[in-house]
Amino acid sequence: MALYENTIVLKQDLAEKELDNIRQKYQKLIAEFSGKLLKIEDWGLIELSNKIKNYKKGFYIHFKFEGNKQTLNEFEK
């Protein structure tokens, strides 16, 4: 299995419960497609270099995981 790192950026106005749901969703997805989650890093609310749909900040969550091509394809969907 190959080692992958992926960072997702979420809207700044999400509640903590919604952030937890998203973390759990990606953890399940990795496990379902023969992957192994190594680490999740919450980088917190960080200012974006360019506005995205009028948002100036975003929550960054960084995933490190092992998996195959199918695991990566599903993660990117």
Side-chain angles (χ1 to χ4, degrees), residues 35-70:
K36 178 182 174 188
L37 184 63
L38 302 175
K39 189 174 189 180
I40 296 177
E41 296 176 0
D42 288 323
W43 292 351
L45 189 62
I46 299 175
E47 192 165 329
L48 302 170
S49 60
N50 295 315
K51 282 186 181 180
I52 300 175
K53 294 186 179 181
N54 292 324
Y55 288 101
K56 295 180 182 179
K57 295 182 180 182
F59 283 103
Y60 283 67
I61 302 175
H62 186 75
F63 294 88
K64 293 182 183 181
F65 61 97
E66 290 180 345
N68 54 31
K69 182 81 171 164
Q70 184 182 14

Side-chain angles (χ1 to χ4, degrees), residues 9-10 12 16-18 22 29 32-33 49 72:
V9 181
L10 306 166
Q12 66 187 23
E16 187 63 36
K17 184 177 179 181
E18 292 172 308
I22 292 169
L29 190 132
E32 284 178 21
F33 289 93
S49 60
L72 184 63

Side-chain angles (χ1 to χ4, degrees), residues 6-36:
N6 201 324
T7 303
I8 59 173
V9 181
L10 306 166
K11 295 191 306 186
Q12 66 187 23
D13 56 0
L14 292 178
E16 187 63 36
K17 184 177 179 181
E18 292 172 308
L19 293 173
D20 287 338
N21 289 341
I22 292 169
R23 279 186 215 99
Q24 290 175 3
K25 173 186 168 184
Y26 282 100
Q27 285 177 318
K28 276 185 183 177
L29 190 132
I30 291 168
E32 284 178 21
F33 289 93
S34 304
K36 178 182 174 188

